[in-house]
Amino acid sequence: MKRRLCLITGASAGIGAEFARQYAALGWNLVLTARRADRLEALAAELRAEHGVEVTVMAEDLADPGAPARIVAALAGRALEVDALVNNAGYGLPGTFFSTKWEDQAAFLQVLYTAPVELTHRLLPGMAARRFGRIINVASLAGYAPGSAGHTLYASVKTGMIKFSESINAECSALGQTDIHCCALCPGFTWSEFHDVNGTRSETDKMPKWMWMEAAPVVKAGIDAVNRGQPVIVPGLANKVLATLTRLLPEPMVRAIAGSQSSRYRRMD
């Protein structure tokens, strides 16, 4: 039987690399894309040796608006049909809206919102033709929280990814595509390079350990949820409690709490 194929963005480290490991362990072939070709090749070699799966590496920077089209064209050129898409690529942009350049904000929007939406739009028709598909959009617990000072667009983009995932999941169901599911995975603080890259490691290291999760259970929760057809999943008991509180507590109280705590993990400079 032909193996299913999963495309993972931001696969060179952290949650993306863990998605690659777990899908490979399930016997899926992979297409891995990120900026760092050397890391992708090392991960690909590991997965081929350990699981005997086929792994294709595509070094691309999703900040380039042409990258999603190039990725899809390269897939078509190799006759690769994507059965699962994991939109994982992302980063934090430290500082306030006042202190950052628009070019940096535009690149942030391109990587975290426009590129995943475009990849979904380009790959969904093939999934529909084959009547099978899985789409996991890595959102964030921040999508449930109110906006706060610093990292200005992060929460709004993640909220958008949650609503986008819900809409795609609902549309597939309404159109009779009962085996195509889209899920927003909303992790809280997860051990990875994310906070090293955006320069907030010293701040986040001061946070209590109970707020953190390893990447493996986060990824497993996402894979299990999308297979169930669940449109949103918040992994981990502590994160579930926090997400619930944001909906139950009065909005002024939630904003005040978020505002008082944001300086612990968000840079304002």
Side-chain angles (χ1 to χ4, degrees):
M1 182 180 293
K2 180 182 177 182
R3 291 180 186 266
R4 295 202 182 276
L5 177 69
C6 179
L7 167 63
I8 303 169
T9 71
S12 60
I15 290 175
E18 183 60 29
F19 265 111
R21 292 187 174 98
Q22 292 199 26
Y23 268 110
L26 293 171
W28 287 56
N29 291 334
L30 302 169
V31 176
L32 308 179
T33 184
R35 292 177 300 167
R36 297 176 287 189
D38 56 338
R39 287 206 175 190
L40 292 176
E41 293 290 359
L43 178 59
E46 170 197 326
L47 299 178
R48 292 183 192 114
E50 187 168 347
H51 300 290
V53 297
E54 297 177 10
V55 185
T56 302
V57 167
M58 295 183 183
E60 283 282 1
D61 184 355
L62 291 180
D64 179 349
R70 285 196 301 272
I71 291 169
V72 174
L75 291 167
R78 301 182 189 193
L80 296 174
E81 297 176 335
V82 173
D83 300 296
L85 167 65
V86 178
N87 285 310
N88 166 75
Y91 59 96
L93 184 59
T96 65
F97 210 58
F98 299 95
S99 64
T100 54
K101 298 177 182 178
W102 171 246
E103 290 79 9
D104 292 336
Q105 296 288 356
F108 178 85
L109 289 171
Q110 173 64 34
V111 173
L112 276 84
Y113 195 80
T114 304
V117 170
E118 182 178 350
L119 284 170
T120 301
H121 189 271
R122 289 182 179 275
L123 294 173
L124 260 177
M127 294 179 180
R130 296 184 297 277
R131 305 193 68 78
F132 179 90
R134 301 287 186 265
I135 301 165
I136 300 176
N137 294 315
V138 179
S140 173
L141 186 62
Y144 285 88
S148 57
H151 300 240
T152 319
L153 292 178
Y154 191 81
S156 58
V157 164
K158 295 304 186 179
T159 301
M161 290 307 296
I162 294 170
K163 299 305 180 186
F164 172 65
S165 302
E166 290 175 327
S167 294
I168 292 298
N169 201 61
E171 286 181 9
C172 289
S173 178
L175 295 172
Q177 294 287 354
T178 56
D179 208 11
I180 300 178
H181 307 307
C182 183
C183 178
L185 172 61
C186 303
F189 291 102
T190 306
W191 295 111
S192 70
E193 296 180 1
F194 181 89
H195 300 285
D196 300 299
V197 172
N198 69 20
T200 58
R201 175 59 62 194
S202 61
E203 290 87 350
T204 55
D205 278 349
K206 300 172 185 176
M207 300 181 68
K209 301 303 181 188
W210 62 265
M211 295 187 68
W212 291 87
M213 288 184 69
E214 297 289 343
V218 169
V219 167
K220 186 178 187 304
I223 294 174
D224 290 346
V226 77
N227 286 335
R228 290 193 301 267
Q230 186 172 338
V232 183
I233 180 68
V234 178
L237 178 60
N239 293 328
K240 285 181 171 63
V241 170
L242 291 171
T244 301
L245 288 175
T246 62
R247 296 192 295 268
L248 296 179
L249 293 176
E251 289 186 13
M253 181 182 297
V254 175
R255 281 195 293 270
I257 294 171
S260 67
Q261 295 298 312
S262 63
S263 61
R264 297 179 65 183
Y265 54 89
R266 293 191 171 183
R267 283 176 49 195
M268 295 285 289
D269 55 322

